[in-house]
């Protein structure tokens, strides 16, 4: 297990950085915002808390939450236009700095492709670098489930994405940054995990992560030191 100093060295020499999105790159949980928008906010927020705490499998929690929300295509689009995701302070500068250094940045999320792609656009991250869940709709726009073949739809999925990226691009140092249990369990195969508590603090992650930050400025400073 790498020491904190070794982890900082891995981050400074990263050739790829993977960010979780909900409560990390953006301030809110996308699925909770969608639930509120569709009128079932409280019930779904409770399910999210259990999923993030690692007490139920991610796919089971996702299936149950979406079964309650049943969002239509129109509702998803209206949510993005009326209540666009709010970027976490410092993330724009950090991603920009990583890009300047030639580091590949990926968004690896248990959230929804349409929302995450909107975030990627704001951060100049190519949509090819987005790995997220895809909602399915019937021809009339009604909810038809989600694509269960996406690796991010299940526990351990983020690790599968990182393994795929390492195999495809031959990355030596891949860093995973996120607030939840599904992010922490992606290391390994990630070479370093940085816990993020700037929007919400998950007790399990704060206690177990060797490197835990609450503002992205802390990572920007690490990059400036070299």
């Amino acid at each position: 297990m790498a020491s904190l100093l070794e982890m900082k060295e891995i981050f400074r020499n990263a050739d790829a950085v993977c960010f979780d999105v909900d409560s990390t790159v953006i301030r809110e949980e996308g699925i909770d915002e969608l639930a509120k928008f569709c009128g079932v906010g409280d019930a779904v927020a409770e399910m999210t808390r259990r999923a993030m705490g690692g007490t139920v499998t991610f796919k089971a929690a996702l299936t149950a939450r979406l079964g309650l929300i049943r969002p239509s295509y129109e509702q998803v689009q209206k949510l993005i236009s009326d209540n666009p995701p709010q970027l976490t302070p410092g993330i724009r500068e950090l991603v920009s700095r990583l890009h300047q250094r030639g580091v590949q940045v990926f968004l690896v999320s248990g959230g929804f492709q349409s929302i995450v792609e909107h975030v990627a656009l704001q951060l100049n991250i190519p949509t090819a670098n987005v790995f997220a869940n895809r909602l399915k709709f019937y021809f009339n726009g009604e909810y038809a489930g989600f694509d269960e073949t996406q690796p991010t739809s299940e526990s351990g999925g983020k690790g599968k994405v990182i393994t795929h990226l390492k195999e495809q691009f031959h990355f030596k140092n891949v860093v995973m940054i996120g607030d939840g249990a599904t992010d922490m369990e992606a290391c390994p195969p990630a070479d370093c995990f940085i816990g993020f508590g700037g929007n919400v603090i998950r007790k399990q992650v704060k206690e177990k992560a060797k490197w835990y930050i609450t503002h992205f400025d802390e990572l920007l400073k690490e990059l400036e030191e070299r």
Side-chain angles (χ1 to χ4, degrees), residues 22-225:
D22 294 331
S23 297
T24 300
V25 168
I26 62 173
R27 303 195 71 142
E28 56 275 292
E29 286 286 324
I31 195 163
D32 288 352
E33 295 305 303
L34 185 58
K36 277 189 255 179
F37 197 74
C38 296
V40 288
D42 290 346
V44 170
E46 178 54 36
M47 286 183 178
T48 297
R49 273 194 291 276
R50 290 206 300 272
M52 295 306 289
T55 53
V56 291
T57 69
F58 186 81
K59 184 173 272 187
L62 184 63
T63 304
R65 288 179 292 176
L66 283 172
L68 266 178
I69 305 169
R70 303 194 65 78
S72 68
Y73 177 80
E74 188 183 349
Q75 284 173 316
V76 174
Q77 296 309 310
K78 194 160 170 49
L79 170 69
I80 294 169
S81 62
D82 291 5
N83 299 304
Q86 301 299 305
L87 291 177
T88 299
I91 188 62
R92 202 186 287 276
E93 295 79 3
L94 177 57
V95 170
S96 175
R97 187 79 184 94
L98 289 167
H99 281 155
Q100 285 168 14
R101 293 165 68 95
V103 178
Q104 285 250 40
V105 177
F106 296 87
L107 299 180
V108 184
S109 172
F112 306 121
Q113 188 89 13
S114 47
I115 296 172
V116 177
E117 284 185 352
H118 178 81
V119 173
L121 200 64
Q122 294 180 70
L123 296 171
N124 296 315
I125 294 169
T127 53
N129 287 18
V130 168
F131 293 85
N133 288 314
R134 295 175 187 272
L135 293 170
K136 297 198 289 193
F137 303 98
Y138 292 112
F139 68 93
N140 64 355
E142 286 181 7
Y143 174 69
F146 63 95
D147 182 354
E148 297 192 25
T149 67
Q150 294 297 316
T152 49
S153 72
E154 58 190 348
S155 302
K158 293 182 180 183
K160 285 180 185 168
V161 170
I162 291 170
T163 296
H164 162 73
L165 293 176
K166 284 185 152 189
E167 287 169 354
Q168 185 177 358
F169 298 107
H170 306 292
F171 292 138
K172 295 282 186 292
N173 289 319
V174 178
V175 175
M176 180 75 211
I177 301 172
D179 68 293
T182 59
D183 308 309
M184 189 163 59
E185 71 181 11
C187 179
D191 301 281
C192 166
F193 168 68
I194 302 170
F196 183 72
N199 294 309
V200 61
I201 291 174
R202 317 273 180 204
K203 185 168 176 280
Q204 178 193 13
V205 177
K206 187 178 184 186
E207 286 173 357
K208 291 186 179 175
K210 272 197 180 169
W211 191 359
Y212 194 81
I213 62 166
T214 53
H215 202 289
F216 288 123
D217 280 357
E218 296 171 62
L219 297 183
L220 268 173
K221 283 184 191 132
E222 283 299 325
L223 296 178
E224 303 308 329
E225 282 179 16

